[in-house]
DNA sequence: CTAGGGTTAG
């Protein structure tokens, strides 16, 4: 094989699309390796340092034999090596890169600033920042290009201090930085407006603010520092505006909760790309408007055929399905993701696991997790699966998944333990949970945080060990947050400890003054023991603060369409049938042992809600609607915005028995699988 | 070179 064309080819291919027709056949081996999306940067980092490295690079020796002739024929050619490193950049081929590097060293090729920059780019993109830094340190006559590549590396790895340090060092050498430097330096000012403003000033002084990339980076910087008006000012003053400048501003307004401004900007855009659409979709999701997110996704698919959804788009729309428990929608998007070749993207797969779990289909969630290639299973993927099991009350599976994760050498983090501990508490695995809690620092190097304490308070509390739970709160090394007191309050409700409940509620009224749920819970406890004066006091407090009890709301998806019910709702077209069904229900299930729990009827907060008697609870309406509109054997999946009430829980158990149905209810904090008269929570929720 | 991003407790 002649080598010069190969070098030319490699360098050309690294920059632009190349006409494939003239390539030697063997080169297709090289061509088949896609450039990795940038996120692999971060993950490659941890993957490469784990022991399973060798599985990543099965192609190395054959690839190396392709690259070798170039090196052999031009042993001292800096440009040959530069072309090869350039090609390897972004392809996650660390070992091959190291082989080339070794050959280079053997042939006594000393890298200059140009070659050094290419090497740094290769190492940084393959997850080996340390080597990139070493190379940088050894180059004697650094150039702007060299500085840019190390700044890029540091900034993408998320080391703001290092980036700024190198940038300062560069300045002290008299190198100003160019339009390639500033986007990366600005990325590091995300939470430091002061620094951002300094860099902004410098870029103005050297006349870079007219650069599109620098301009957009400045907008993004101000957005990330929470100074949206500053960002908008910059946007207005920009001479050359790009789609990305609009996108950055739209995303900023969405993050700031100013949806209308974002919508207006989006409407005013002359041209939109996939990022504009994705910004809208994820913006809606972030602001809790899942339905709108799904609508925008559909609209994009209908109206804008130019635009092609990518993995970020899919990842942004799946949480919207999860949020609204739209299982059918989620399945469709899953199919679509497979069609456009995103089926083996870890991030998409992880989003799928979460979506299926949150839509109540633990089976499909697990199937998706299984399909994630062993080596690609990163921290987030494991966390998602552990949390999925936890929310479905499969504590033992949470634990065994956690142990698998440890076995394959993935280091757990704080979220892993919240998942694991909540799994233990949802399943009543008190001792196991306590064991993990007590050894998490020593064995796994994860320091307990507030949310872990909340899980353990919940764990002890559900089991009735209220005094221990309370003691734990007193021993906490940090301030107990709302989640901790909330867990204690819920436990006190379950085990009827009014004294502790009052203490917990008192804290919560201060910590969460807008959460009516705490008032309602305590009021229900007073009512249970007939302390009506206290009930009245709490009602008055609610009223004074202008709050109302959050109305109960449930929905069920049938044939891909969501049907929503409020407590006592009569507005549904089939309301008559539903109420007829519910009227006859108690008599039917009394036959198999149902005893209505009417205690809660008396405790509704406001008078007008008294009419919403037990049979009209929103979850019952949804279940009745489901039974009336599906064929026998179909699984019913109901989602509720609050916790399921005791009577509905009991009734649903009996319904599952006499109708032979599997009914899956997602309430605010967990899943209940009803089947054959039993619930997966074991009445432990 | 810039813009969009999957996992968190009651």
């Amino acid at each position: 094989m002649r080598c010069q064309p190969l070098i030319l080819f490699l360098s050309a291919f690294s920059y632009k699309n190349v006409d494939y027709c003239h390539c030697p056949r063997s080169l297709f081996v090289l061509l088949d390796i896609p450039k990795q999306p940038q996120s692999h940067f971060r993950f490659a980092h941890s993957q490469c340092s784990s022991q399973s490295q060798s599985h990543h690079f099965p192609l190395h020796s054959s690839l190396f034999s392709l690259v070798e002739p170039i090196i052999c024929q031009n042993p001292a050619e800096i440009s040959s090596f530069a072309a090869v490193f350039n090609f390897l950049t972004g392809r996650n081929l660390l070992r091959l890169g190291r082989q080339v590097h070794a050959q280079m060293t053997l042939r006594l090729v000393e890298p200059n600033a140009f070659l050094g920059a290419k090497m740094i780019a290769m190492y940084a993109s393959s997850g080996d920042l340390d080597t990139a830094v070493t190379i940088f340190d050894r180059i004697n006559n650094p150039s702007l290009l060299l500085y840019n590549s190390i700044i890029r590396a540091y900034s993408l790895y998320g080391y703001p201090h290092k980036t700024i340090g190198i940038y300062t060092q560069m300045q002290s050498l008299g190198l100003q930085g160019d339009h390639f430097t500033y986007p990366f330096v600005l990325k590091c000012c995300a939470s430091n407006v002061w620094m951002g403003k300094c860099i902004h000033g410098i870029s103005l002084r050297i006349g870079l603010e007219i650069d599109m990339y620098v301009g957009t980076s400045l907008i993004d910087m101000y957005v990330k520092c929470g100074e949206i008006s500053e960002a908008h000012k910059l946007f207005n003053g920009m001479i050359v505006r790009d789609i990305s400048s609009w996108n950055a501003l739209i995303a900023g307004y969405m993050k700031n909760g100013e949806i209308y401004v974002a919508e207006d900007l989006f409407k005013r855009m002359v041209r939109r790309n996939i990022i504009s659409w994705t910004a809208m979709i994820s913006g809606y999701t972030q602001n809790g408007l899942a339905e709108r997110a799904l609508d925008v996704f559909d609209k994009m698919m209908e109206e804008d055929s130019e635009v092609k959804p990518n993995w970020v788009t899919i990842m942004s729309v799946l949480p919207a399905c999860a949020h609204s428990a739209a299982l059918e929608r989620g399945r469709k998007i899953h199919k679509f993701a497979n069609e456009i070749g995103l089926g083996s993207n870890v991030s998409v797969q992880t989003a799928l696991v979460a979506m299926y779990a949150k839509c109540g289909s633990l089976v499909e969630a697990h199937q998706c997790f299984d399909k994630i290639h062993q080596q690609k299973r990163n921290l987030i993927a494991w966390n998602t699966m552990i949390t999925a099991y936890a929310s479905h009350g499969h504590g033992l599976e949470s634990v065994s998944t956690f142990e698998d994760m440890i076995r394959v050498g993935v280091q757990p983090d704080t979220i892993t333990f919240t998942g694991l501990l909540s799994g233990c508490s949802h399943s009543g695995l008190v001792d196991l949970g306590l064991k993990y809690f007590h050894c998490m620092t020593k064995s796994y190097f994860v320091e307990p945080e507030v949310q872990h304490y909340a899980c353990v308070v919940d764990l002890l509390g559900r089991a009735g060990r209220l005094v221990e739970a309370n003691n734990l709160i007193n021993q906490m090394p940090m301030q107990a947050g709302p989640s901790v007191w909330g867990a204690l309050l819920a436990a006190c409700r379950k085990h009827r400890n009014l004294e502790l409940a009052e203490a917990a509620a008192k804290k919560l009224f201060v910590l969460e003054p807008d959460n009516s749920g705490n008032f309602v819970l305590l009021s229900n406890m007073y009512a249970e023991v007939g302390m009506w004066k206290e009930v009245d006091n709490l009602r008055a407090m609610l009223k004074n603060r202008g709050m109302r009890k959050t109305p109960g709301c449930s929905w069920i998806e049938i044939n891909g369409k969501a049907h929503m019910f409020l407590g006592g709702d009569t507005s549904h077209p089939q309301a008559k049938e539903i109420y007829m069904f519910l009227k006859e229900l108690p008599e039917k299930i009394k036959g198999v042992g149902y005893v209505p729990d009417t205690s809660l009827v008396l405790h509704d907060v406001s008078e007008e809600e008294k009419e919403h008697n037990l049979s009209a609870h929103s979850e019952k309406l949804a279940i009745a609607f489901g039974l009336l509109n599906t064929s026998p054997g179909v699984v019913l999946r109901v989602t509720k915005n609050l916790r399921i009430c005791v009577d509905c829980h009991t009734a649903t158990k009996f319904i599952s028995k006499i109708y032979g149905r599997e009914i899956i209810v997602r309430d605010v904090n967990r899943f209940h699988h009803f089947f054959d008269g039993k619930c997966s929570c074991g009445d432990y929720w």
Side-chain angles (χ1 to χ4, degrees):
Chain A
M1 190 190 299
R2 291 199 15 253
C3 293
Q4 201 54 39
L6 181 56
I7 298 170
L8 286 174
F9 168 76
L10 286 178
S11 37
F13 183 70
S14 306
Y15 291 112
K16 290 220 153 60
N17 293 331
V18 159
D19 182 5
Y20 285 57
C21 310
H22 306 298
C23 304
R25 179 168 287 273
S26 52
L27 268 181
F28 281 99
V29 182
L30 284 170
L31 284 174
D32 281 342
I33 303 165
K35 282 263 187 191
Q36 300 289 333
Q38 277 195 350
S39 72
H40 282 249
F41 246 93
R42 277 172 252 153
F43 300 138
H45 197 51
S46 54
Q47 283 173 359
C48 288
S49 51
S50 78
Q51 68 279 64
S52 53
Q53 224 189 74
S54 55
H55 301 289
H56 289 268
F57 310 109
L59 283 170
H60 279 176
S61 43
S62 61
L63 274 177
F64 189 68
S65 63
L66 271 173
V67 176
E68 206 176 12
I70 310 177
I71 303 166
C72 288
Q73 277 204 356
N74 309 283
E77 278 287 338
I78 281 188
S79 62
S80 316
F81 284 104
V84 174
F85 283 121
N86 215 357
F87 175 77
L88 296 174
T89 300
R91 290 193 165 78
N92 212 7
L93 293 165
L94 182 58
R95 258 207 4 209
L96 183 55
R98 283 182 177 153
Q99 287 172 348
V100 175
H101 188 175
Q103 288 298 320
M104 205 186 92
T105 314
L106 276 174
R107 281 153 222 276
L108 305 174
V109 175
E110 273 292 319
N112 60 10
F114 176 70
L115 178 52
K118 301 293 170 200
M119 294 172 73
I120 288 170
M122 186 282 290
Y123 275 111
S125 76
S126 310
D128 189 350
L129 183 62
D130 288 345
T131 310
V133 173
T134 314
I135 291 164
F136 174 79
D137 287 341
R138 289 192 188 158
I139 306 267
N140 289 321
N141 297 307
S143 62
L144 184 56
L145 176 70
L146 187 78
Y147 269 107
N148 281 347
S149 48
I150 196 75
I151 284 174
R152 176 170 190 261
Y154 270 136
S155 128
L156 288 179
Y157 276 81
Y159 292 108
H161 293 289
K162 295 265 188 191
T163 315
I164 300 291
I166 295 274
Y167 169 74
T168 318
Q169 183 191 330
M170 189 183 92
Q171 297 264 300
S172 70
L173 287 177
L175 293 168
Q176 291 273 23
D178 62 4
H179 55 293
F180 286 106
T181 320
Y182 284 87
F184 290 111
V185 175
L186 285 166
K187 225 184 192 153
C188 299
C189 306
S191 53
N192 191 340
V193 218
W194 181 80
M195 182 74 76
K197 284 190 170 157
C198 286
I199 310 279
H200 183 181
I202 298 171
S203 70
L204 280 176
R205 208 175 59 211
I206 54 180
L208 277 176
E209 84 282 2
I210 53 145
D211 181 82
M212 215 165 58
Y213 291 97
V214 177
T216 303
S217 301
L218 281 166
I219 293 177
D220 187 49
M221 183 273 293
Y222 281 114
V223 159
K224 301 233 159 90
C225 292
E227 306 224 350
I228 189 77
S229 57
E230 212 45 53
H232 206 137
K233 258 191 230 159
L234 249 146
F235 177 82
N236 286 336
M238 270 176 100
I239 301 165
V240 197
R241 256 183 238 151
D242 187 39
I243 298 189
S244 12
S245 325
W246 290 81
N247 290 347
L249 199 59
I250 287 175
Y253 277 111
M254 278 298 198
K255 285 216 169 72
N256 222 29
E258 295 182 60
I259 299 159
Y260 295 108
V261 188
E263 282 171 340
D264 183 51
L265 283 166
F266 185 76
K267 268 190 214 138
R268 279 167 42 204
M269 284 178 92
V270 190
R271 244 163 41 90
R272 309 177 178 109
N273 64 10
I274 186 59
I275 298 184
S276 328
W277 286 101
T278 308
M280 292 303 288
I281 294 169
S282 64
Y284 281 130
T285 313
Q286 281 158 18
N287 287 291
L289 299 166
E291 294 303 329
R292 296 268 269 286
L294 291 167
D295 289 346
V296 173
F297 181 78
D298 287 345
K299 210 175 153 207
M300 173 187 79
M301 302 291 282
E302 267 172 40
E303 288 177 12
D304 208 336
S305 53
E306 300 268 296
V307 140
K308 272 194 168 147
N310 59 22
W311 61 293
V312 184
T313 319
I314 301 294
M315 244 167 49
S316 311
V317 73
L318 284 173
C321 301
H323 186 93
S324 45
L327 182 60
E328 285 305 324
R329 277 300 256 302
R331 282 185 183 137
K332 265 195 202 140
I333 292 168
H334 182 184
K335 223 177 120 212
F336 176 67
N338 284 335
E339 281 163 13
I340 59 175
L342 292 172
S344 55
N345 178 301
V346 218
S347 308
V348 169
Q349 288 173 305
T350 305
L352 282 168
V353 174
M355 180 277 290
Y356 278 124
K358 287 183 183 159
C359 289
S361 180
L362 193 56
V363 178
E364 279 159 291
H366 183 247
Q367 280 167 358
C368 285
F369 181 74
D370 255 2
K371 284 206 187 97
I372 305 177
H373 201 268
Q374 279 284 344
Q375 274 74 41
K376 286 193 191 161
R377 283 184 194 166
N378 56 38
L379 179 63
I380 302 183
W382 285 104
N383 285 352
T384 307
M385 195 66 235
I386 291 170
T387 310
Y389 279 131
S391 65
H392 283 262
H394 291 228
L396 283 174
E397 278 94 335
S398 276
V399 170
S400 70
T401 308
F402 171 78
E403 291 297 343
D404 287 344
M405 165 183 180
I406 299 301
R407 210 169 300 127
V408 298
V410 174
Q411 163 72 30
D413 72 347
T414 153
I415 296 170
T416 318
F417 279 95
T418 37
L420 180 66
L421 293 172
S422 76
C424 290
S425 90
H426 287 330
S427 298
L429 302 169
V430 184
D431 293 330
L432 202 52
L434 286 174
K435 190 196 99 183
Y436 280 120
F437 177 67
H438 286 127
C439 74
M440 56 190 272
T441 312
K442 244 184 165 171
S443 308
Y444 304 101
F445 316 108
V446 180
E447 212 60 57
E449 293 170 20
V450 206
Q451 65 267 37
H452 302 120
Y453 279 93
C455 290
V456 179
V457 167
D458 188 47
L459 182 82
L460 292 166
R462 280 178 210 266
R465 292 155 70 165
L466 294 173
V467 179
E468 278 170 85
N470 194 41
N471 287 343
L472 183 72
I473 296 179
N474 291 330
Q475 289 161 19
M476 281 175 62
M478 71 287 278
Q479 201 92 61
S483 57
V484 179
W485 293 112
L488 188 67
L489 180 60
C492 292
R493 165 88 173 90
K494 184 172 163 62
H495 297 285
R496 298 172 194 233
N497 184 325
L498 193 54
E499 197 188 327
L500 264 182
E502 280 175 327
K506 213 172 150 192
K507 300 273 186 188
L508 284 166
F509 293 164
V510 179
L511 290 168
E512 294 183 317
D514 299 327
N515 186 341
S516 58
N518 298 324
F519 292 88
V520 174
L521 219 157
L522 187 64
S523 151
N524 284 344
M525 288 183 73
Y526 282 136
E528 246 169 24
V529 290
M531 295 168 68
W532 300 109
K533 218 178 113 202
E534 281 75 6
V535 174
D536 287 343
N537 278 342
L538 281 173
R539 279 187 198 171
M541 265 172 95
L542 263 182
K543 215 173 177 183
N544 286 341
R545 299 185 185 207
M547 302 194 312
R548 277 201 60 194
K549 179 187 173 214
T550 313
C553 166
S554 300
W555 61 99
I556 183 168
E557 197 195 45
I558 288 172
N559 298 326
K561 193 173 178 294
H563 299 262
M564 203 180 90
F565 299 89
L566 290 168
D569 201 340
T570 51
S571 63
H572 194 277
Q574 270 177 269
K576 222 173 167 180
E577 273 182 83
I578 294 170
Y579 279 96
M580 188 76 88
F581 178 89
L582 287 176
K583 204 177 161 197
E584 291 162 3
L585 183 71
E587 292 313 313
K588 256 185 181 162
I589 55 182
K590 266 178 199 163
V592 279
Y594 168 71
V595 181
D597 181 348
T598 51
S599 62
L600 274 179
V601 183
L602 310 166
H603 311 149
D604 270 338
V605 174
S606 58
E607 288 299 321
E608 73 263 34
E609 272 167 6
K610 277 198 173 170
E611 67 203 56
H612 301 169
N613 56 25
L614 275 183
S615 67
H617 273 179
S618 65
E619 56 267 53
K620 282 214 191 82
L621 297 176
I623 290 170
F625 177 78
L627 284 173
L628 289 169
N629 290 283
T630 55
S631 2
V634 174
V635 179
L636 300 182
R637 292 168 210 274
V638 172
T639 308
K640 190 184 175 185
N641 68 335
L642 303 170
R643 277 178 64 166
I644 186 171
C645 92
V646 186
D647 182 70
C648 288
H649 192 266
T650 314
T652 309
K653 284 196 285 187
F654 287 110
I655 293 172
S656 77
K657 192 172 178 75
I658 64 168
Y659 290 92
R661 288 285 190 121
E662 187 178 351
I663 301 167
I664 300 172
V665 179
R666 168 176 125 183
D667 75 11
V668 255
N669 50 36
R670 67 166 293 162
F671 281 90
H672 301 263
H673 288 242
F674 296 95
F675 185 68
D676 194 29
K678 286 193 270 303
C679 177
S680 64
C681 75
D683 302 335
Y684 194 91
W685 90 91

